[in-house]
């Protein structure tokens, strides 16, 4: 009895030290790096036109659903004089943008698209490997009874109480962790990919049903920003808890 107990203790401690599997760590840090690059490049793209719209169309001449004061480009009064394309009555007009350095955002768009591949490919490999190894069902997906208010409240108290219990570097996760990780990995990130693709006319020309799902190019752009805000909140809480 004593020998079996002594032999099991080093095994348990070594297993706890291992934490996540190597493939989980690789996918995690690849995804984390891509999300960081996407956040920076996406913010620079947004600074060029920090006005959000709802529906299929949105431009300088249509009312904005939301204006973000992250650059002077969101204020019509800050634009330079309008330029008429022709002398015809009611001719289309445009306006030059301020913050010229941010208007040259071709590199940001290219970087944003490139970083997206480092989100999609590792994400698909993570889901596939998680299905094959059972990681998704065993560790990530919420278990039966995880939505019980008393259980969730107790799990929240355990997280907020410093030193209440030791948490390993990997699974098993708590109830709130499973809900948060499953929501981000299986809902939020795919949602960001789909709304991002919906903003591409080339993609929606091949798959027009994306426009029906999200209500148009501009609605997809607005939802894309809201999805990023939710991911940013998760990132802050995730790092704080770590």
């Amino acid at each position: 009895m004593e020998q079996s107990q002594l032999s099991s203790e080093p095994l348990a401690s070594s297993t706890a030290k291992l934490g996540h599997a190597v493939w989980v760590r690789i996918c995690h840090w690849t995804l984390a790096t891509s999300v960081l690059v996407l956040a920076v490049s996406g913010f620079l793209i947004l600074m060029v036109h920090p006005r959000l719209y709802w529906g299929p169309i949105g431009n300088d001449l249509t009312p904005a659903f939301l204006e973000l004061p992250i650059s002077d480009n969101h204020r019509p009064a800050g634009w330079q004089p309008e330029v008429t394309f022709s002398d015809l009555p009611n001719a289309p007009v445009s306006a030059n943008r301020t913050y010229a350095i941010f208007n040259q955002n071709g590199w940001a768009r290219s970087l944003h698209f490139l970083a997206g591949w480092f989100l999609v490919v590792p994400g698909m490999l993570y889901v596939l490997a998680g299905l094959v190894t059972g990681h998704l069902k065993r560790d990530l997906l919420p278990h039966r009874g995880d939505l019980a208010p008393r259980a969730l409240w107790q799990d929240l108290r355990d997280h907020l109480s410093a030193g209440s219990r030791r948490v390993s570097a990997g699974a098993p996760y708590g109830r709130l962790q499973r809900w948060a990780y499953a929501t981000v990995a299986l809902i939020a990130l795919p949602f960001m990919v789909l709304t991002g693709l919906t903003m591409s006319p080339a993609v929606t020309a091949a798959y027009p049903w994306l426009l029906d799902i999200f209500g148009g190019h501009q609605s997809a752009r607005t939802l894309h920003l809201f999805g990023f805000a939710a991911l940013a909140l998760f990132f802050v809480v995730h790092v704080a808890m770590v």
Side-chain angles (χ1 to χ4, degrees), residues 145-157:
D146 279 354
L147 272 181
R150 179 176 297 181
L152 289 175
W153 174 247
Q154 183 60 46
D155 194 62
L156 179 61
R157 292 182 58 184

Side-chain angles (χ1 to χ4, degrees), residues 16-147:
K17 291 180 180 179
L18 289 177
H20 293 291
V22 175
W23 68 269
V24 175
R25 294 173 183 240
I26 293 175
C27 290
H28 175 274
W29 287 111
T30 304
L31 291 170
T33 304
S34 68
V35 168
L36 179 61
V37 176
L38 287 167
V40 175
S41 58
F43 186 78
L44 291 175
I45 295 171
L46 183 64
M47 289 188 72
V48 175
H49 192 81
R51 293 160 56 88
L52 300 176
Y53 310 91
W54 193 261
I57 301 173
N59 53 55
D60 301 339
L61 305 179
T62 58
F65 172 76
L66 179 64
E67 295 184 354
L68 303 174
I70 57 177
S71 75
D72 287 342
N73 287 346
H74 83 285
R75 298 182 303 174
W79 300 343
Q80 295 179 8
E82 295 179 345
V83 178
T84 304
F85 293 150
S86 67
D87 296 330
L88 299 176
N90 300 322
V93 296
S94 181
N96 294 328
R97 291 292 190 176
T98 56
Y99 265 64
I101 188 174
F102 293 114
N103 295 341
Q104 302 173 4
N105 68 333
W107 65 270
R109 292 180 179 274
S110 298
L111 182 61
H112 200 73
F113 183 78
L114 177 62
W117 285 108
F118 288 90
L119 174 70
V120 173
V121 175
M124 295 177 64
L125 292 176
Y126 174 83
V127 173
L128 180 61
L131 291 172
V132 173
T133 62
H135 171 68
L136 290 181
K137 182 178 181 180
R138 181 181 63 253
D139 301 322
L140 200 66
L141 294 179
H143 301 164
R144 180 180 299 178
D146 279 354
L147 272 181

Side-chain angles (χ1 to χ4, degrees), residues 194 197-198 200-214 217:
L194 290 176
L197 292 175
T198 307
S200 170
V203 173
T204 53
Y207 306 100
W209 51 267
L210 288 172
L211 294 173
D212 298 331
I213 292 178
F214 297 110
H217 293 284

